[in-house]
Amino acid sequence: MNSIDVVIKGAKLPNGTVSDICIQGEHVVDVVKDYSGPATHVVEATGCVVLPGLVDLHTHLREPGREDAETVLSGSQAGAKGGFTALSAMANTSPVADTAGVVEQVYRLGQEAGYLDVFPIGAVTQGLRGEALSEIGAMADSVARVRVFSDDGHCVSDPLVMRRALEYIKKFDGVVAQHAQDPRMTVDSQMNEGIVSARLGLKGWPAVAEEAIIARDVLLTDHVNSRLHICHLTTAGGVEIIRWAKARGIDVTAEVTPHHLLLTDDLAGSYDPVYKVNPPLRTEHDVHALREALADGTIDIVATDHAPHPLEAKECEWQEAAFGMLGLETALSIVQKTMIDSGMMSWEQVAERMSLTPARIGRYADQGQQLAKGAFANLVVINPTKSWRVDRDLVLSNSSNTPYHGHELPGVVEHTFFKGKQTVINGEVISKGAK
Amino acid sequence: MRHLLSIEDLSKSDAVSILDTAHELARVSDGAVKKLPTLRGRTIVNLFAEDSTRTRISFEAAAKRLSADVINFSAKGSSVSKGESLKDTAMTLQAMGADAVVIRHSASGAAQRLADSQWMSGSVVNAGDGTHEHPSQALLDAFTIRKHLRAGAHDLEGLTVAIVGDVLHSRVARSNVLLLSKLGAKVILVAPPTLLPVGVESWPATVSYDFDSVIPFVDVVMMLRVQQERMSDLYFPNAREYSRYFGLNADRMKSMKQGSIVMHPGPMNRGLEISAEVADSARSVITEQVTNGVSVRMAILYVLLTGSALEAGSN
Amino acid sequence: MSIALSAPDIKRALTRISHEILERNQGSSSIVLLGIPTRGAHLAARIATIITEIEGVAVPCGTLDITLFRDDLRLRAPKAIMPTTIPPSGIEDKDVILVDDVLFSGRTIRAALDALGEIGRPRTVQLAALVDRGHRELPIKADFVGKNLPTSKSQSVRVLLSEIDGRDEVGIEGEVL
């Protein structure tokens, strides 16, 4: 019998069966009940759950332009720590990822870092200005093979521009990931519009500003027979629209962030901008609707919207502060807390929502594969019975704007494998030089 | 009590005790005594990152009557207007040894940020933060109402107060709704639907769009200032139409109850939300609000700064 | 608690103090009584009543709150401010008799002198105290004393007056160390 590189022993697969996973080179070479042959490394994983490597469809890596907040390398390390083997780098960098040059640079930085795949997302419009289409074809045909296009941070608010984008991307099997926010209804908006904003005197951000764009765009998508992805859905009303659109057969997918599955708008009462995020935290009612929609598949995926910001962008008055919170290192724990520990979802569904489906939406062929013989060895081993305390001073991200500082969260990522290579060993990310 | 940040976190008994203290302090000021040694050696900084001459001089007069040293740190010509962060400003004030900071700021929650941060250790008094609260204004308004309509009583039980105008953007309205209802008064908000916040139904107040139907039943009409910039922002068609529905003019004043009073936090737009005849009428207590402001702010500084060494744990 | 003054003792002491005040000031024509709240104000009112009975004319009597003039405000929880009531005739050129229940460190009286100075310029200021328990921290002395009570610093003197406490009594609490 030939020796293999790694055997992961005793972990529970997403479908609940306990198996040993054999890895040779970049691939899974066998999944068997009891592997008794020789292996260079044995990873003891009894009591753990093994999932296909997580795929994030919505990450802000800030490079190029704001390397003080995050780099492709630091973001990759944070991602690996969180169990991810693929990230999708949003286009709102400086310069904007609206040309083949920028997306190829980001893609190459990801390969050089080597912790996971970094798939650049291309801007829909030049400079995210919402006026003229960016070089969608050049980005699609570049080495970065961009399939997801988004002006995230800004809404493609002009209906004609949105229509043209939806039509044009069909040539490349692309998808428009829409940041649904009517700009006129949200000028200077600070937080969800409702009882809490009325009390705090912070300018409201109505749910309808999100829902009106979602409704318009599913209709446009239907009309031009294209593919639409809705970024960070936050409202119960938005869930209803997606449910309606899917029933009608419209090719739309939707994502929810971990923070919108857990946190609510009353946290703004502290005026601590660590809770300031776009789209804003909504109400308890919305949180429950989002959890149900994620469980029943109306919402297809969880995406982090990991948004690092330097200290000074958050150590200030609420209305001066930047929008966004960290997400990569805590995403899986938040999903376990809200969806698994509440009994609403199985690990198999987590694998779908956080790996298989996002990879399918992004057309990331080597990612999101079932854990079976012949698959790329992208996987994460989680101990769901352990818990850990979030400490903003210990995060791997270059920034520290996590809203969970001090929270005790369930589920520890013990090991992450990216194409057969271990990037996290016993909860520790391997250092850059060690590879 | 260490800070005064909002009426929301002020208990009824704390509020009544500030009003009672203000009452005694007003009597002292009325008499021959103009200056008290109470806060001698203490430093109070007026940090005004937004223009407001009347509130600043009111706090300044209050602090000086209590013999505190007052430092004015106003937006114009200070580093606040040059983009210095609130954190750096706070650390500067801490280094100067400020015992209390009276802060006016255009950002809602700025006072609370200052108080909750580790940037400085003194007391924080919110002198108006964005569209959130203006607690000292509400306290002086309650003081004025009590003096006129409930002399000798602790609270405002049995009174009805109409707050009229731009409730949406008004920190004065927010603080007054909370305080007046806490003190037992019934509050009616009168405004065009565009100038009421979504979520107002959760406030301890009722809402009316019809000023004329409300006016004969209230003991107090409190008019709010309408900012000029609201005109261009689609809240109402024009100033004339606003005045017609929501302005307090001599004609409307005729239907007011016997003994009822008219208030305005100032500065007034005469001819827009209030006519000159009303502002200068016998019902108007607007200038008295200014006088009472000093006593109430003396009371606030007294309550916050006495025993401060105890709370800071240096005893 | 041991009782230092009973109700009849207090009555006798106040009567004696009233006579002494009149004797010292050659009648009541120039005097103004100012009690320091809370209990000093009630004692001043009682002395005023006794003097009125003796002399047959009303004597001006008011209250003087010293809270805002204390030198220990930073160290004490905020105290409610009590009313200050100066008789309409004022204090200018009068013989002001400050009345307090217990004379101890002298700091209250120092504050009272400051408070008085803000109001006017009396001809003389005199001090009447129901109890003098010693332990002065300032050069202050009472002109009229109900009873000298030698105490240790660890003890406390409690004055009860019927107006607010339901009965008249002065007691000493705590052990002599």
Side-chain angles (χ1 to χ4, degrees):
Chain A
M1 198 181 239
N2 290 330
S3 178
I4 56 167
D5 290 341
V6 181
V7 60
I8 299 168
K9 292 198 67 75
K12 202 187 276 184
L13 297 178
N15 64 14
T17 61
V18 174
S19 290
D20 294 348
I21 297 171
C22 304
I23 299 171
Q24 174 71 33
E26 292 191 334
H27 292 88
V28 173
V29 290
D30 214 350
V31 179
V32 292
K33 196 87 195 118
D34 275 301
Y35 178 78
S36 51
T40 312
H41 289 290
V42 177
V43 175
E44 181 50 57
T46 307
C48 292
V49 171
V50 61
L51 300 179
L54 306 183
V55 176
D56 191 16
L57 205 62
H58 192 149
T59 325
H60 294 276
L61 292 178
R62 306 295 185 216
E63 189 176 3
R66 286 310 299 266
E67 289 81 357
D68 57 327
E70 198 79 286
T71 61
V72 172
L73 174 60
S74 65
S76 294
Q77 290 172 329
K81 178 93 195 283
F84 288 89
T85 55
L87 304 181
S88 309
M90 270 299 174
N92 63 338
T93 47
S94 177
V96 170
D98 56 2
T99 60
V102 177
V103 294
E104 287 191 348
Q105 181 199 355
V106 171
Y107 179 75
R108 253 197 304 273
L109 286 167
Q111 296 299 303
E112 280 166 22
Y115 285 89
L116 38 66
D117 281 325
V118 173
F119 298 114
I121 290 174
V124 176
T125 64
Q126 292 171 29
L128 310 174
R129 283 187 296 272
E131 292 159 5
L133 294 185
S134 59
E135 293 173 15
I136 287 173
M139 291 189 279
D141 291 339
S142 74
V143 297
R145 298 191 324 277
V146 176
R147 293 294 176 272
V148 183
F149 298 90
S150 180
D151 277 2
D152 183 71
H154 302 269
C155 181
V156 182
S157 64
D158 184 323
L160 184 63
V161 174
M162 186 62 181
R163 177 200 167 137
R164 294 287 184 254
L166 283 166
E167 286 177 313
Y168 194 65
I169 53 148
K170 286 163 63 175
K171 173 174 162 54
F172 310 99
D173 190 26
V175 61
V176 175
Q178 175 67 298
H179 174 120
Q181 176 192 353
D182 185 288
R184 281 287 286 152
M185 270 194 272
T186 52
V187 176
D188 294 331
S189 289
Q190 298 293 321
M191 66 171 297
N192 179 50
E193 182 168 52
I195 288 169
V196 183
S197 66
R199 181 164 60 88
L200 299 180
L202 289 172
K203 187 146 191 279
W205 187 312
V208 65
E210 178 171 331
E211 292 155 0
I213 296 293
I214 298 173
R216 181 198 76 180
D217 288 353
V218 295
L219 293 173
L220 274 176
T221 304
D222 193 23
H223 183 59
V224 301
N225 193 27
S226 185
R227 195 156 72 95
L228 173 69
H229 177 71
I230 299 295
C231 296
H232 40 50
L233 194 69
T234 67
T235 74
V239 167
E240 286 309 307
I241 296 165
I242 298 292
R243 198 169 273 142
W244 173 86
K246 286 187 165 182
R248 202 178 150 103
I250 298 170
D251 193 358
V252 59
T253 52
E255 78 191 27
V256 64
T257 71
H259 46 272
H260 289 112
L261 287 172
L262 180 67
L263 308 176
T264 50
D265 62 347
D266 53 311
L267 289 165
S270 64
Y271 290 103
D272 185 342
V274 77
Y275 301 112
K276 180 176 176 179
V277 64
N278 176 353
L281 300 177
R282 304 286 187 185
T283 67
E284 196 73 38
H285 170 68
D286 295 301
V287 164
H288 285 293
L290 292 172
R291 289 184 189 181
E292 275 164 30
L294 182 63
D296 72 20
T298 304
I299 292 175
D300 304 82
I301 66 167
V302 174
T304 65
D305 196 6
H306 177 82
H309 287 291
L311 216 51
E312 63 272 16
K314 290 288 191 181
E315 263 194 336
C316 57
E317 306 86 310
W318 179 282
Q319 73 183 39
E320 304 302 324
F323 290 98
M325 34 180 79
L326 299 184
L328 287 171
E329 296 173 57
T330 47
L332 191 56
S333 288
I334 301 298
V335 171
Q336 182 185 333
K337 181 184 170 82
T338 55
M339 305 305 294
I340 298 281
D341 294 354
S342 65
M344 293 182 80
M345 256 170 50
S346 64
W347 285 110
E348 191 160 33
Q349 286 172 298
V350 171
E352 278 169 15
R353 308 286 192 269
M354 297 187 78
S355 177
L356 274 56
T357 310
R360 203 184 64 239
I361 294 169
R363 302 297 191 246
Y364 308 151
D366 295 353
Q367 292 281 345
Q369 298 175 337
Q370 297 278 8
L371 295 174
K373 188 171 175 173
F376 274 105
N378 294 320
L379 51 88
V380 53
V381 177
I382 309 136
N383 188 335
T385 59
K386 272 209 231 167
S387 67
W388 61 294
R389 187 172 291 276
V390 183
D391 185 339
R392 63 182 165 222
D393 298 325
L394 299 180
V395 297
L396 292 178
S397 169
N398 275 356
S399 297
S400 59
N401 53 310
T402 172
Y404 309 112
H405 177 68
H407 286 223
E408 187 80 17
L409 296 180
V412 169
V413 171
E414 297 281 7
H415 310 285
T416 307
F417 287 82
F418 170 57
K419 290 200 170 162
K421 203 170 53 190
Q422 197 160 3
T423 54
V424 174
I425 303 173
N426 295 320
E428 296 292 328
V429 172
I430 57 164
S431 61
K432 180 82 173 94
K435 290 194 291 35
Chain B
M1 234 175 110
R2 194 153 121 70
H3 308 295
L4 179 66
L5 304 177
S6 67
I7 297 296
E8 201 184 352
D9 47 39
L10 193 71
S11 70
K12 180 179 174 179
S13 67
D14 280 345
V16 169
S17 116
I18 289 173
L19 298 187
D20 291 346
T21 303
H23 178 74
E24 293 305 330
L25 287 166
R27 287 162 41 108
V28 174
S29 310
D30 282 351
V33 184
K34 288 293 180 208
K35 202 165 171 109
L36 294 161
T38 316
L39 298 181
R40 192 182 288 147
R42 309 300 195 86
T43 301
I44 294 171
V45 175
N46 283 326
L47 171 58
F48 276 59
E50 188 185 71
D51 261 347
S52 172
T53 310
R54 35 180 68 223
T55 305
R56 183 182 60 71
I57 60 176
S58 181
F59 269 107
E60 186 170 348
K64 284 184 169 163
R65 277 191 203 167
L66 293 171
S67 303
D69 296 320
V70 180
I71 299 173
N72 285 313
F73 201 98
S74 60
K76 282 213 179 83
S78 83
S79 43
V80 177
S81 58
K82 293 175 196 149
E84 183 180 76
S85 75
L86 186 61
K87 179 181 177 177
D88 289 331
T89 305
M91 287 175 17
T92 304
L93 301 182
Q94 172 72 10
M96 289 195 296
D99 294 291
V101 174
V102 177
I103 177 176
R104 160 69 66 104
H105 201 288
S106 60
S108 299
Q112 189 176 328
R113 284 292 279 160
L114 209 55
D116 289 349
S117 72
Q118 307 300 313
W119 307 331
M120 53 162 285
S121 58
S123 290
V124 177
V125 182
N126 183 2
D129 61 329
T131 53
H132 175 223
E133 281 219 38
H134 194 349
S136 67
Q137 177 73 41
L139 285 160
L140 80 87
D141 289 339
F143 181 85
T144 306
I145 295 171
R146 191 174 83 166
K147 194 169 163 192
H148 275 269
L149 302 172
R150 282 292 179 272
H154 277 304
D155 57 22
L156 305 177
E157 205 69 54
L159 292 177
T160 303
V161 181
I163 301 177
V164 186
D166 182 1
V167 174
L168 178 62
H169 300 96
S170 175
R171 50 193 170 213
V172 175
R174 271 176 186 75
S175 287
N176 263 309
V177 166
L178 293 171
L179 181 62
L180 300 179
S181 63
K182 222 167 250 197
L183 294 173
K186 183 172 175 284
V187 180
I188 306 174
L189 297 169
V190 182
T194 45
L195 289 174
L196 289 163
V198 168
V200 73
E201 64 279 2
S202 67
W203 291 11
T206 53
V207 168
S208 170
Y209 307 140
D210 184 1
F211 195 9
D212 287 317
S213 72
V214 166
I215 208 165
F217 305 103
V218 299
D219 303 290
V220 179
V221 176
M222 185 183 292
M223 301 305 296
L224 300 173
R225 177 179 168 80
V226 177
Q227 307 275 359
Q228 294 296 326
E229 63 258 32
R230 308 292 170 228
M231 312 278 185
S232 53
D233 227 359
L234 301 172
Y235 289 105
F236 45 86
N238 57 42
R240 220 171 40 250
E241 181 155 324
Y242 180 88
S243 264
R244 193 158 66 239
Y245 288 122
F246 298 101
L248 186 56
N249 51 32
D251 227 25
R252 266 200 181 104
M253 189 168 66
K254 281 189 199 130
S255 55
M256 284 180 70
K257 244 164 78 170
Q258 184 87 41
S260 56
I261 57 174
V262 173
M263 304 177 78
H264 193 298
M268 290 182 276
N269 290 307
R270 285 173 185 247
L272 179 50
E273 74 265 6
I274 190 164
S275 75
E277 301 95 296
V278 176
D280 302 331
S281 74
R283 287 191 190 281
S284 164
V285 297
I286 295 167
T287 52
E288 200 191 308
Q289 285 172 271
V290 179
T291 312
N292 294 339
V294 177
S295 307
V296 167
R297 286 166 178 135
M298 285 170 77
I300 290 166
L301 295 175
Y302 170 75
V303 169
L304 293 184
L305 285 177
T306 54
S308 56
L310 265 186
E311 298 206 35
S314 64
N315 195 25
Chain C
M1 189 175 100
S2 66
I3 294 167
L5 290 172
S6 65
D9 292 339
I10 292 172
K11 189 163 191 288
R12 275 193 293 275
L14 292 178
T15 307
R16 179 173 48 76
I17 288 173
S18 303
H19 281 286
E20 286 173 5
I21 290 171
L22 286 172
E23 195 179 337
R24 162 86 68 95
N25 295 286
Q26 287 141 11
S28 66
S29 59
S30 67
I31 67 171
V32 176
L33 293 161
L34 290 180
I36 296 169
T38 319
R39 286 177 180 76
H42 294 295
L43 292 172
R46 288 193 196 185
I47 292 170
T49 308
I50 297 168
I51 291 177
T52 305
E53 278 165 11
I54 299 166
E55 295 285 287
V57 283
V59 55
C61 178
T63 58
L64 181 68
D65 183 61
I66 54 93
T67 309
L68 296 164
F69 294 85
R70 300 185 69 99
D71 60 7
D72 58 354
L73 285 170
R74 196 194 282 262
L75 304 169
R76 296 169 65 108
K79 260 188 74 178
I81 299 168
M82 306 301 287
T84 291
T85 328
I86 304 299
S89 50
I91 60 166
E92 210 62 31
D93 242 10
K94 299 289 169 79
D95 296 306
V96 169
I97 322 290
L98 294 173
V99 184
D100 203 0
D101 51 355
V102 179
L103 179 58
F104 185 23
S105 68
R107 287 179 190 271
T108 299
I109 303 308
R110 194 232 20 108
L113 292 171
D114 282 356
L116 216 46
E118 291 292 336
I119 295 166
R121 188 179 179 283
R123 193 166 56 150
T124 65
V125 182
Q126 300 158 35
L127 172 61
L130 180 59
V131 170
D132 182 346
R133 60 169 295 194
H135 305 291
R136 213 77 75 238
E137 293 166 6
L138 296 172
I140 280 169
K141 174 175 157 297
D143 300 275
F144 315 102
V145 177
K147 187 174 171 81
N148 285 297
L149 277 184
T151 56
S152 83
K153 266 195 157 178
S154 63
Q155 292 177 310
S156 64
V157 174
R158 237 176 74 196
V159 176
L160 303 179
L161 295 179
S162 56
E163 291 92 331
I164 41 177
D165 307 304
R167 65 191 158 110
D168 281 4
E169 186 177 286
V170 176
I172 302 177
E173 286 175 333
E175 294 302 308
V176 183
L177 292 180

